[in-house]
Amino acid sequence: MSLSARAFARGISVASRLPTTRRVFGVSATHIAQRWTLSHGQLLSSAARRGLSTTSAAPQAEPQQSGRSDEAAPDSKAAERDSTHHAVVSTFDLFSIGVGPSSSHTVGPMRAGKIFVQDLVEHKILERVASIKVDLYGSLALTGIGHGTPNATLMGLEGELPETVPTETIISRVQDMHDTATITLNGAHRIRFNPDKDMTLHCYESLPQHPNGMRFTVFDANGDMLATNEYFSIGGGFVVNEKTQVAHGENVFYRDSKHDPMHTSSSSAAGEPVDKTGAGPAAAEPAQMDERTQQDLVTAALPFRTGKDLIELCEREGLSIAEVVYLNELQWRSREDVIDSAYRIWNVMDDSIRRGCLSTERKLPGRLNVHRRAPHLYQNLMRGIYGTVAGQGLLSSAPNAQGALSDGQTGMLDDGAMGGSAYSASSLLGTALTSTQRNELSGVFKRRQRARRPVLPQLDYLSVYAIAVNEENAAGGRVVTAPTNGAAGVIPSVLKYHLEFLSEDPSRDILEFLFTSAAIGMLYKRGASISAAEMGCQGEVGVACSMSAAAFAAVMGGTPAQVENAAEIGMEHNLGLTCDPVDGLVQIPCIERNALGAVKAVTAAQLALQGDGSHRVSLDQVIETMRQTGHDMMSKYKETSQGGLAVNVPIC
């Protein structure tokens, strides 16, 4: 059997080149760039290199009912991160456009498949491939069917990207693979492939580096292995492999400016020639890892590792958190590109809300037969910028800052909804009361008519927007990982609520909200994880709540210290949140949990804004607590559907 190719490959594009429709309040990128009077740094490339290996780590058995490993491991990993890496990644890596229902189980595997076939093309292996084997491990196998992992992986192998794949064609294309027992690698090379036999789900095995592991192996016509590699989807659509993760921590999403239309600078050197002996590239790896670490430090104009670093940086330089992130982005992109990319992210978020609110589908996919609620909730509110009937265009009116109903609009219940009678204590208590008791109640409770307002505008808007996004995500629609798909509804909901009800400068607030929330997400990604397979749902909805709380405090005029406090409150009260999706679907409890996360984010920000920013528990302490909690959490509560609601709620 021939040795596999050892080579260095490059990253994939994560940003669509579709023209940006700047329909956000009619403000151009140039106008905003002029208002953000910040210096423009030199564009630099920070391409991440990876290796195709001839061998792979042997799978290890998943510990029963426990996610604990050797106690020294987390400390050593934390020490490595502390000594080497800052927290800065691109906002547009953290917020990337993808498809539902999961960033770690759908977006990540699709990107991994694309990376692998792109490697084969660049190193002239693809045309020699006659067959391929796909192995999915751990959480990817346990909840993969409900999360769409197999389909997403196959789309990646066919050369699709989450940002651009036609979502309506995925099911039919996968069915064609089953019918013909073939797959077209990278959209160009058709080989034999039986999904039922050539894709294996290892439900009770996990690769040692991460619970979300996958392995691709290709063979020639003689059955000899040509190449193999393992990839790990670490949350939020980020993908690494074993060598990169060990040498560079968890801060790398494979991306090379040569293949990334979001970058305009030149890429790093091309990959090395295929080396059948496996000796050439391996000898150069230490130097390349050191170079990549130096690139990481150079390309961050204002690096920070912790929340404390970030606040001190803001105070020292007189900058807001959003401005720090913006200056860092200018190291990789032009000013107009940064602004356009931010608006593109918001437009996709906003569109996912619109599609969720106006959807005509009654049920979500899967055996749970979950009904879509966002359209009905939105119709009950009878207001918003989309109108109440699809196709009628935008309404000219929007809710005012106090949440009052516009003229001619009604609340959730009209006057005849309860048969024309008002709520009263006596009517609710029934007829088993004496006349004395009724007189007593009448003397107290009938002195004023109860307001016919069974809706709370703020809570209802936050809830319906979050539910709309996550129902679109559950249906496999296009959403933004914020920072994951399972938590994709929290940030769009809070931002849209602010824009509709409170904002006096929406164009600027969009930028400040996204950049502030991104900074907080970077801290969690570096200090803990945004993967539910590692942290439980505290790493998804908990992190999204913390990010939203910080961003909401920022656009409401909070100081960096108040913003950090809001982020801390948002996570402190999500610690220990488990991930136990029923039937492996991102529906129960995920959809409602996003609505509650949005409400909690606004409450956390309001609490922080009432203080001066000083508080007893720091954001860094909460992030470390989250990391330890996730480490100690039993594996059945970390996106495996082996515990919690997943085993107590009947499927049918």
Side-chain angles (χ1 to χ4, degrees):
M1 180 178 293
S2 64
L3 294 175
S4 71
R6 291 183 62 90
F8 289 98
R10 281 167 295 280
I12 62 172
S13 164
V14 297
S16 171
R17 291 299 290 169
L18 295 175
T20 302
T21 304
R22 295 193 202 106
R23 53 186 178 82
V24 184
F25 310 102
V27 182
S28 69
T30 303
H31 174 68
I32 300 302
Q34 291 171 349
R35 298 181 61 182
W36 281 58
T37 54
L38 299 173
S39 61
H40 184 181
Q42 182 183 4
L43 291 172
L44 296 174
S45 169
S46 59
R49 298 170 181 164
R50 345 177 262 299
L52 284 169
S53 62
T54 58
T55 59
S56 57
Q60 64 181 18
E62 174 75 8
Q64 293 187 355
Q65 307 301 334
S66 175
R68 303 188 185 192
S69 57
D70 182 69
E71 293 296 331
D75 294 335
S76 62
K77 288 182 180 180
E80 180 184 351
R81 288 195 298 266
D82 288 341
S83 63
T84 311
H85 313 300
H86 57 68
V88 177
V89 296
S90 173
T91 299
F92 309 108
D93 285 347
L94 202 62
F95 293 136
S96 61
I97 300 169
V99 295
S102 171
S103 51
S104 61
H105 287 54
T106 312
V107 176
M110 190 180 298
R111 285 179 174 155
K114 172 64 174 179
I115 291 169
F116 185 68
V117 295
Q118 195 170 29
D119 292 347
L120 300 181
V121 170
E122 293 185 3
H123 302 293
K124 307 185 188 317
I125 300 174
L126 181 63
E127 295 302 322
R128 298 169 53 195
V129 174
S131 62
I132 185 171
K133 298 290 185 183
V134 179
D135 295 277
L136 304 176
Y137 292 91
S139 180
L140 293 181
L142 286 165
T143 61
I145 300 298
H147 284 56
T149 306
N151 292 358
T153 305
L154 296 178
M155 288 298 99
L157 291 173
E158 285 209 333
E160 297 287 1
L161 290 172
E163 299 78 14
T164 57
V165 59
T167 57
E168 67 278 3
T169 67
I170 293 177
I171 300 300
S172 60
R173 289 170 62 179
V174 172
Q175 184 59 50
D176 184 65
M177 295 179 198
H178 284 273
D179 295 340
T180 63
T182 61
I183 187 173
T184 306
L185 295 182
N186 205 39
H189 183 57
R190 197 172 185 88
I191 63 171
R192 65 177 184 270
F193 178 77
N194 186 333
D196 296 325
K197 295 181 180 179
D198 296 327
M199 175 179 285
T200 305
L201 276 62
H202 302 268
C203 294
Y204 301 102
E205 291 180 284
S206 180
L207 298 177
Q209 294 79 20
H210 194 277
N212 293 337
M214 67 202 89
R215 179 186 298 147
F216 303 122
T217 309
V218 290
F219 305 87
D220 63 17
N222 297 323
D224 292 335
M225 183 176 70
L226 291 173
T228 185
N229 205 359
E230 293 172 352
Y231 299 89
F232 303 92
S233 181
I234 63 174
F238 287 76
V239 179
V240 298
N241 68 5
E242 178 187 0
K243 292 182 181 301
T244 302
Q245 187 178 17
V246 169
H248 194 55
E250 298 178 347
N251 242 4
V252 176
F253 166 55
Y254 293 147
R255 163 178 281 187
D256 186 333
S257 56
K258 177 179 178 181
H259 300 287
D260 184 1
M262 295 291 289
H263 287 278
T264 58
S265 59
S266 61
S267 66
S268 58
E272 303 294 336
V274 174
D275 186 349
K276 294 282 186 174
T277 67
E285 280 182 14
Q288 289 159 344
M289 296 305 174
D290 291 341
E291 177 188 355
R292 188 169 57 214
T293 300
Q294 292 303 315
Q295 285 179 337
D296 220 21
L297 295 173
V298 169
T299 56
L302 298 169
F304 55 87
R305 295 187 303 123
T306 64
K308 183 174 181 290
D309 290 345
L310 179 59
I311 300 306
E312 290 177 350
L313 175 61
C314 291
E315 293 175 349
R316 182 176 68 250
E317 302 295 337
L319 299 172
S320 69
I321 291 175
E323 288 170 335
V324 169
V325 174
Y326 178 71
L327 281 174
N328 283 332
E329 289 298 329
L330 292 180
Q331 296 296 97
W332 300 303
R333 296 171 174 83
S334 69
R335 182 177 303 186
E336 282 70 23
D337 197 9
V338 172
I339 303 300
D340 281 345
S341 297
Y343 281 147
R344 185 182 300 115
I345 292 297
W346 164 241
N347 285 338
V348 174
M349 288 181 173
D350 193 32
D351 189 59
S352 65
I353 295 175
R354 181 189 60 80
R355 286 184 284 107
C357 286
L358 300 181
S359 174
T360 58
E361 298 176 358
R362 295 186 59 189
K363 292 183 178 181
L364 295 172
R367 297 186 297 173
L368 298 179
N369 292 317
V370 173
H371 286 263
R372 281 183 179 255
R373 287 186 292 175
H376 179 67
L377 291 172
Y378 180 74
Q379 289 172 6
N380 284 340
L381 286 172
M382 294 293 289
R383 51 185 172 144
I385 67 171
Y386 301 131
T388 57
V389 179
Q392 287 187 348
L394 306 184
L395 291 181
S396 59
S397 61
N400 60 36
Q402 288 74 37
L405 291 168
S406 302
D407 293 341
Q409 295 176 319
T410 61
M412 187 176 293
L413 297 178
D414 58 22
D415 288 338
M418 295 299 294
S421 61
Y423 284 109
S424 68
S426 58
S427 65
L428 292 175
L429 291 173
T431 58
L433 297 176
T434 66
S435 59
T436 302
Q437 289 173 319
R438 289 184 183 279
N439 290 337
E440 182 67 26
L441 288 172
S442 298
V444 175
F445 291 100
K446 284 196 173 180
R447 291 180 180 175
R448 62 180 175 87
Q449 185 76 14
R450 286 199 172 187
R452 192 182 305 280
R453 196 178 184 104
V455 295
L456 299 174
Q458 294 183 0
L459 300 183
D460 289 335
Y461 271 98
L462 287 167
S463 297
V464 72
Y465 292 156
I467 288 172
V469 174
N470 281 86
E471 286 179 346
E472 278 298 293
N473 178 66
R478 200 172 305 284
V479 297
V480 174
T481 59
T484 67
N485 282 30
V490 180
I491 289 174
S493 172
V494 177
L495 175 52
K496 186 164 184 63
Y497 167 76
H498 173 74
L499 295 178
E500 285 201 2
F501 284 83
L502 303 170
S503 178
E504 296 179 354
D505 189 353
S507 55
R508 190 182 194 282
D509 286 349
I510 291 171
L511 302 178
E512 185 162 15
F513 196 103
L514 292 178
F515 291 151
T516 302
S517 61
I520 303 302
M522 294 173 200
L523 296 175
Y524 282 101
K525 191 176 186 310
R526 181 192 177 278
S529 173
I530 56 174
S531 169
E534 288 185 289
M535 296 288 112
C537 198
Q538 61 176 356
E540 294 207 19
V541 171
V543 171
C545 176
S546 180
M547 293 168 65
S548 298
F552 189 77
V555 295
M556 292 296 289
T559 65
Q562 289 173 318
V563 170
E564 186 261 0
N565 188 14
E568 180 275 320
I569 296 173
M571 173 52 74
E572 182 179 342
H573 305 288
N574 278 297
L575 289 172
L577 196 61
T578 61
C579 179
D580 47 0
V582 179
D583 201 27
L585 298 170
V586 191
Q587 298 177 11
I588 300 175
C590 317
I591 295 173
E592 286 182 354
R593 188 166 286 176
N594 274 257
L596 272 293
V599 172
K600 191 180 292 186
V602 172
T603 303
Q606 289 176 321
L607 286 173
L609 290 171
Q610 295 302 314
D612 60 2
S614 60
H615 48 288
R616 183 65 179 84
V617 181
S618 72
L619 176 60
D620 293 329
Q621 291 168 341
V622 166
I623 293 175
E624 175 59 19
T625 302
M626 170 191 153
R627 185 191 68 81
Q628 294 177 9
T629 302
H631 173 64
D632 293 338
M633 189 181 290
M634 299 174 74
S635 62
K636 67 180 182 179
Y637 298 118
K638 294 192 286 189
E639 207 171 11
T640 61
S641 291
Q642 293 180 317
L645 286 174
V647 300
N648 286 292
V649 176
I651 294 175
C652 54

